[in-house]
Amino acid sequence: MGEIPVETAAHVMRAAVEVSRRLAGALGAAGVNLWHASGETAWQSVFHFHLPPWPT
């Protein structure tokens, strides 16, 4: 998170909102978890920014 430009982060969050809504709607999920880890001590395993959604 510390390295992604603010403008890029804003675009990512807009996309995350849209994807989350579509996932929840298509799957009938009650909610969606968005998960991101920044840095090795936060258990980041892929050292680039990504924000995967999981329907709940």
Side-chain angles (χ1 to χ4, degrees):
M1 289 293 278
E3 296 178 20
I4 189 171
V6 172
E7 297 82 15
T8 303
H11 289 292
V12 170
M13 286 308 297
R14 282 199 235 12
V17 167
E18 184 63 28
V19 169
S20 297
R21 288 178 180 165
R22 289 181 185 213
L23 265 175
L27 299 175
V32 175
N33 288 319
L34 297 176
W35 184 74
H36 175 75
S38 291
E40 191 172 346
T41 57
W43 299 347
Q44 182 178 10
S45 60
V46 179
F47 291 96
H48 65 268
F49 182 82
H50 63 282
L51 188 69
W54 281 278
T56 56

